[in-house]
């Protein structure tokens, strides 16, 4: 992989607190074994600050492997006992297919936009 391709696929995570218990994480780039710790760090930080609703906007994630799915499921397990949730927003068709095939979409709702996800978060 060239340096330009690597830079293009680097993960970026923008964090926006929507309300005291809910946070929007806008993720861009490949979510895989090489980049998953970046997202994990942001999620752990928000858990530490008491957030229990995680809105993950992944419309700009062209590829996700099991590392990304494991992080989503892990944070879901962390917040479900606190009546929290994880909401995946606008997955690409390729990522949605992986989430459907692995059953992640049976546990974590896949939603169209931030407003729909925030409404689902209650």
């Amino acid at each position: 992989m060239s340096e330009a391709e690597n830079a293009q696929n680097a993960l970026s995570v923008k964090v926006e607190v929507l309300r005291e218990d809910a946070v929007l994480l806008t993720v861009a780039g490949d979510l895989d074994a090489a980049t998953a710790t970046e997202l994990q760090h942001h999620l752990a930080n928000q858990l530490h600050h008491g957030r229990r609703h995680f809105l993950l906007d992944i419309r700009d994630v062209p590829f996700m492997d099991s590392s990304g799915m494991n992080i989503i499921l892990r944070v879901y397990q962390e917040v479900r006992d606190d009546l929290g949730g994880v909401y995946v927003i606008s997955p690409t068709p390729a990522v949605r297919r992986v989430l459907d095939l692995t059953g992640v979409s049976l546990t974590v709702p896949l939603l169209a936009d931030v407003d729909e996800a925030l409404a689902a978060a209650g």
Side-chain angles (χ1 to χ4, degrees):
M1 180 179 294
S2 75
E3 207 170 301
E5 287 173 322
N6 192 36
Q8 183 181 12
N9 293 330
L11 193 73
S12 74
V13 180
K14 179 183 164 203
V15 178
E16 182 182 352
V17 176
L18 301 177
R19 57 183 203 221
E20 189 58 34
D21 67 342
V23 62
L24 170 65
L25 293 99
T26 304
V27 184
D30 289 346
L31 186 51
D32 56 24
T35 62
T37 53
E38 170 95 14
L39 178 58
Q40 179 62 40
H41 168 76
H42 289 287
L43 291 168
N45 186 42
Q46 293 304 313
L47 278 166
H48 176 75
H49 284 90
R51 312 287 181 247
R52 58 188 184 95
H53 294 288
F54 292 83
L55 289 65
L56 302 177
D57 185 338
I58 62 168
R59 72 186 75 232
D60 293 324
V61 174
F63 173 80
M64 179 190 301
D65 71 4
S66 61
S67 302
M69 290 179 286
N70 287 335
I71 287 172
I72 291 171
L73 290 173
R74 212 173 303 135
V75 75
Y76 167 78
Q77 290 170 344
E78 284 279 333
V79 298
R80 70 178 174 189
D81 291 338
D82 295 327
L83 301 178
V86 177
Y87 312 89
V88 173
I89 301 166
S90 298
T92 63
V95 171
R96 183 183 185 110
R97 187 170 193 276
V98 170
L99 294 172
D100 287 344
L101 287 172
T102 58
V104 173
S105 61
L106 297 174
T107 303
V108 177
L110 307 182
L111 303 166
D113 58 38
V114 173
D115 291 337
E116 191 177 335
L118 201 52

